[in-house]
């Protein structure tokens, strides 16, 4: 089941993508996609619907982030061996965790802003894990029971803030627009093996990243279990599981984003994102 939220910013409505690629309006069934709607029993009720009986959403519509009301975005650093090597960093003995603020979240095709003074804005295609059933201290063999589904995440990063400004990585990870999420939340039943998914990213039509989730150091079940030892996981939380090689700082010479460029990225079975880079706006 592919769930999606469509509409102008702040006015998105829930929908399904049916087997023919048509958007079907879910707003008569659920108010939105998030919270208790992500619980296993709620998803089972939606899955049992005859999608053909739901109204078709026609025309061109903006696609919003696939989950409303994300409580936290937990990110995993250096979770692909070859990415750690290109970053010239040691293979971690345990998952490296950091948080992205929810203020960074945008839709999958919204513009990404280059912050004032940024010099090294970078791209990172990542498998996103959306939590359905809440939990803490979750054993590995039960971890996937807590997953509602999967999505595409672009962990946009400003490397000069992240690595050259002292302190935590969060400085370079949390800028506004640095967390495009979507287009779809693909429920767990449609992704039998999250460790067998191809993922890729292009900048201005040039393929920069190509990888597969099988080369993760810590797999999805390990990550869900591990993170739950340090914080409770709640419905709608998102885990960004790390990126394969090919990021800008790993290019020879390094290449970073400027305003006016285009990123396109995707994961097998989970859809694609396209973002333009623009100068940051001031409030």
């Amino acid at each position: 089941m592919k769930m999606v939220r469509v509409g102008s910013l702040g006015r998105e409505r829930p929908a399904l993508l049916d087997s023919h690629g048509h958007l079907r309006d879910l707003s008569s069934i659920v108010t939105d996609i998030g919270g208790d709607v992500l619980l296993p029993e709620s998803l089972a009720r939606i899955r049992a619907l005859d999608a053909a009986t739901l109204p078709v959403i026609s025309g061109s519509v903006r696609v919003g982030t696939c989950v409303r009301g994300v409580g936290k975005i937990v990110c995993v650093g250096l979770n692909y061996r070859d990415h750690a090597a290109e970053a010239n960093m040691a293979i971690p003995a345990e998952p490296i965790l950091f948080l992205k603020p929810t203020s960074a979240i945008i839709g999958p095709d919204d513009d990404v802003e280059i912050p004032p003074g940024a010099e090294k804005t970078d791209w990172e295609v990542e498998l996103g894990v959306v939590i359905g059933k809440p939990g803490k201290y979750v054993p590995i063999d039960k971890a996937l029971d807590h997953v509602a589904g999967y999505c595409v995440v672009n962990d946009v990063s400003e490397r000069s803030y992240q690595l050259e400004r002292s302190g935590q990585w969060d400085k370079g990870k949390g800028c506004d627009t640095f967390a495009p999420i979507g287009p779809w939340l693909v429920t767990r039943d449609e992704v039998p093996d999250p460790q067998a998914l191809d993922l890729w990213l292009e900048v201005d039509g040039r393929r920069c990243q190509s990888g597969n989730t099988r080369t993760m150091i810590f797999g999805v079940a390990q990550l869900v279990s591990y993170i739950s030892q340090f914080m409770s996981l709640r419905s709608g939380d998102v885990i960004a599981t790390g990126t394969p090689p090919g990021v800008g700082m790993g290019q020879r010479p390094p290449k970073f984003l400027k305003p006016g460029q285009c990123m396109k990225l995707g994961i097998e079975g989970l859809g694609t994102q396209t973002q333009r880079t623009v100068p940051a706006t001031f409030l």
Side-chain angles (χ1 to χ4, degrees):
M1 186 165 62
K2 294 179 175 68
M3 307 178 75
V4 59
R5 300 174 66 249
V6 296
S8 59
L9 181 64
R11 299 179 64 85
E12 297 91 346
R13 53 179 162 159
L16 287 179
L17 191 70
D18 70 17
S19 58
H20 301 290
H22 299 137
L23 285 172
R24 298 282 182 166
D25 194 336
L26 264 180
S27 56
S28 65
I29 308 299
V30 295
T31 57
D32 215 330
I33 300 169
D36 290 350
V37 172
L38 300 173
L39 295 173
E41 55 271 25
S42 299
L43 293 178
R45 285 194 293 270
I46 298 171
R47 193 178 295 112
L49 295 171
D50 180 0
T53 65
L54 299 172
V56 173
I57 300 173
S58 58
S60 178
V61 291
R62 172 186 172 271
V63 177
T65 179
C66 58
V67 181
R68 179 184 178 275
V70 175
K72 55 184 173 288
I73 309 170
V74 186
C75 301
V76 185
L78 301 177
N79 196 32
Y80 286 71
R81 291 181 180 276
D82 32 13
H83 172 54
E86 75 173 350
N88 198 29
M89 295 181 180
I91 300 297
E94 295 187 33
I96 296 171
L97 304 182
F98 59 92
L99 297 174
K100 269 186 184 281
T102 56
S103 55
I105 295 174
I106 57 171
D109 301 324
D110 293 343
D111 292 345
V112 166
E113 296 183 351
I114 307 296
E119 300 173 347
K120 300 178 180 179
T121 305
D122 208 343
W123 55 83
E124 294 189 16
V125 58
E126 306 203 3
L127 173 66
V129 178
V130 179
I131 297 299
K133 177 183 173 182
K136 57 182 180 179
Y137 311 122
V138 176
I140 290 180
D141 62 345
K142 302 291 185 184
L144 294 184
D145 294 342
H146 293 262
V147 174
Y150 303 94
C151 62
V152 182
V153 175
N154 189 354
D155 176 20
V156 184
S157 309
E158 172 48 45
R159 302 299 187 190
S160 64
Y161 296 176
Q162 176 191 358
L163 302 173
E164 300 168 18
R165 298 283 295 270
S166 301
Q168 302 296 315
W169 283 10
D170 303 56
K171 291 179 185 177
K173 297 285 190 173
C175 300
D176 288 358
T177 77
F178 272 23
I181 297 176
W184 313 322
L185 167 59
V186 180
T187 51
R188 184 164 57 94
D189 58 297
E190 290 198 10
V191 185
D193 185 0
Q195 305 308 145
L197 301 175
D198 289 330
L199 61 172
W200 56 272
L201 182 145
E202 297 174 351
V203 178
D204 293 338
R206 174 179 173 267
R207 182 64 59 97
C208 296
Q209 289 188 275
S210 294
N212 189 284
T213 55
R214 66 174 171 268
T215 64
M216 284 183 182
I217 299 168
F218 308 103
V220 170
Q222 290 172 286
L223 292 174
V224 171
S225 175
Y226 183 86
I227 293 167
S228 77
Q229 309 306 309
F230 302 97
M231 63 192 83
S232 61
L233 293 172
R234 298 177 178 174
S235 302
D237 286 347
V238 175
I239 300 171
T241 58
T243 199
V247 299
M249 72 175 180
Q251 307 286 312
R252 297 294 181 265
K255 297 181 184 298
F256 298 109
L257 295 166
K258 308 289 185 187
Q261 293 190 281
C262 177
M263 290 180 283
K264 187 170 184 178
L265 56 147
I267 300 178
E268 179 183 356
L270 305 185
T272 61
Q273 302 183 354
T274 303
Q275 297 114 26
R276 292 186 314 123
T277 54
V278 299
T281 56
F282 291 80
L283 296 178

